[in-house]
Amino acid sequence: LRHNLIQKYNAILHNYGGELETILKIFSEMRNQPPLVRNMPPEAGKIIWAEHLFQRIRGPIGSFPTNVINGQEMRQYFGSYNKLGGQLYLYKMWYQMSWFEDIERAKAGLQATLIIRNDQDKSLVVNFDKDIMQLIREAKCMNRAGIDIPESARIILLQEEKFKMYYNELHYVLKEYERIIGKIKPITKTLLGPHIEDLELKLRPGMITLTWTSMNIDSYLHTCLLYTSPSPRDRQKSRMPSSA
């Protein structure tokens, strides 16, 4: 019976050796452009792909009995396992470190003012860095895959809905501002000048002092909405792209 078990374990070890060679070939051929799940962000996709390959070679190692692992037959596979495992680890860490740097750059975007004036047509636009939503998408994907994400990324991830709401409300306010200004006829512009200045004064904090990390954005939006849209309106037309 013991002899039969050893033979079966040896057959399994042989299959495991073949699996190591297969995964090494996959990694060598696809490391620059790995297959990604649909809508998967590229950085997160590479990290998750490498982690998946690593788990494929790591899982069987922990399933073998101690006497088999210490046996002569097993030793020949340890070199291949350690070499491939090391390559996968370094590959994953390279992209993780690059992603960590992207997090810091994206965090800097949260210090931007809420609104800026377009250099070309001088219109007011919402000043939200789209890289932040990309960061949130990547953090979501890695979190779902069970990969640890840094605390700074987790904090931004928890604020996703808040950022979406602020973006949508600001976009709506600026559209209403444009609508109001667009309806003013030249002949009445001088007469309505003080009212226009008052409206622009209400918008000004979003262009000068308020950033995406400010604590009083809600009260600012409330004031702007009162001045630009005193009656309920449909705000569903302009939506920030989803990060899901």
Side-chain angles (χ1 to χ4, degrees):
L1 180 61
R2 186 172 183 275
H3 177 72
N4 289 337
L5 286 174
I6 293 174
Q7 283 186 326
K8 289 180 179 179
Y9 277 128
N10 287 340
I12 294 173
L13 284 173
H14 181 74
N15 291 336
Y16 177 65
E19 178 76 353
L20 287 174
E21 293 178 2
T22 299
I23 294 175
L24 176 60
K25 182 179 179 181
I26 291 172
F27 177 66
S28 300
E29 294 177 353
M30 299 183 175
R31 60 184 301 164
N32 293 326
Q33 289 185 317
L36 304 180
V37 178
R38 183 180 178 184
N39 296 325
M40 174 73 71
E43 293 292 319
K46 290 175 180 177
I47 294 170
I48 293 172
W49 176 72
E51 178 66 18
H52 172 70
L53 292 182
F54 182 69
Q55 292 302 325
R56 281 180 62 180
I57 67 171
R58 182 185 180 186
I61 287 289
S63 301
F64 292 118
T66 304
N67 63 317
V68 174
I69 293 176
N70 295 331
Q72 185 66 34
E73 190 73 20
M74 185 63 175
R75 292 174 188 173
Q76 62 179 308
Y77 298 114
F78 261 116
S80 299
Y81 167 78
N82 289 330
K83 182 179 179 181
L84 178 55
Q87 290 183 49
L88 290 170
Y89 177 79
L90 290 175
Y91 178 91
K92 188 178 79 166
M93 289 304 299
W94 171 268
Y95 283 103
Q96 276 190 319
M97 294 304 296
S98 175
W99 186 65
F100 291 168
E101 293 174 1
D102 290 342
I103 293 172
E104 296 306 312
R105 285 193 290 269
K107 281 171 59 180
L110 294 175
Q111 301 304 317
T113 56
L114 303 178
I115 301 169
I116 57 172
R117 193 175 292 278
N118 189 301
D119 290 334
Q120 296 180 346
D121 60 12
K122 304 304 179 182
S123 63
L124 297 179
V125 294
V126 181
N127 186 27
F128 189 79
D129 188 350
K130 296 298 170 48
D131 287 343
I132 295 171
M133 294 311 296
Q134 175 75 357
L135 164 66
I136 290 174
R137 286 186 62 218
E138 290 174 337
K140 271 186 175 181
C141 291
M142 286 193 273
N143 197 41
R144 289 170 181 166
I147 297 174
D148 289 335
I149 60 176
E151 188 63 23
S152 55
R154 195 176 300 279
I155 291 172
I156 295 175
L157 179 58
L158 292 173
Q159 299 180 84
E160 177 188 8
E161 293 305 317
K162 183 177 72 173
F163 290 144
K164 284 182 178 180
M165 181 192 72
Y166 288 162
Y167 178 92
N168 294 329
E169 294 285 8
L170 285 166
H171 195 98
Y172 175 76
V173 164
L174 296 183
K175 285 295 182 183
E176 287 296 283
Y177 168 76
E178 291 177 2
R179 181 184 65 81
I180 292 170
I181 298 300
K183 283 190 173 184
I184 298 175
K185 297 179 181 180
I187 195 172
T188 61
K189 191 169 186 178
T190 302
L191 181 64
L192 295 175
H195 298 283
I196 297 173
E197 289 180 5
D198 189 39
L199 177 56
E200 291 179 346
L201 186 64
K202 295 298 184 291
L203 293 174
R204 195 168 300 164
M207 304 170 63
I208 299 175
T209 59
L210 293 178
T211 71
W212 295 92
T213 59
S214 297
M215 301 296 292
N216 53 338
I217 298 178
D218 289 299
S219 60
Y220 167 74
L221 285 171
H222 179 70
T223 300
C224 291
L225 288 168
L226 286 177
Y227 271 76
T228 58
S229 182
S231 60
R233 295 181 183 277
D234 180 13
R235 301 175 193 169
Q236 305 299 319
K237 295 179 181 178
S238 299
R239 288 292 177 189
M240 176 185 286
S242 173
S243 65

